[in-house]
Amino acid sequence: AEIDHIPQDVLTLCCNSIKFYPGKAAIKTGRDRALEKPLLDKTNVECAPYQLITEKAHLELAHKNIGKPLVI
């Protein structure tokens, strides 16, 4: 796969061909930072500090815990 933003129906079709790598789970994880960052933590891969932000309180918490600069 060259990109991670493959429509679900196309991704399923590709995976069913048995010639598609890295596979559906890897594509799904690679396109969703909320899945990707915890996986990097779990596998001890260093990455920048992060905070999942879905509401204003999370942004304030990230500012407090991570500091500036923040990339959102």
Side-chain angles (χ1 to χ4, degrees), residues 39-60:
L39 176 62
L40 294 173
D41 287 342
K42 181 179 175 182
T43 56
N44 296 317
V45 174
E46 288 188 40
C47 64
Y50 66 92
Q51 168 79 42
L52 180 61
I53 297 172
T54 59
E55 57 188 59
K56 184 178 178 183
H58 297 152
L59 178 59
E60 292 167 351

Side-chain angles (χ1 to χ4, degrees), residues 1-4 6 11 14-15 18-31:
E2 294 289 327
I3 59 172
D4 58 7
I6 302 169
L11 183 57
C14 291
C15 288
I18 310 173
K19 298 177 183 178
F20 185 75
Y21 295 99
K24 198 175 204 176
I27 296 293
K28 181 179 177 182
T29 301
R31 70 177 166 205

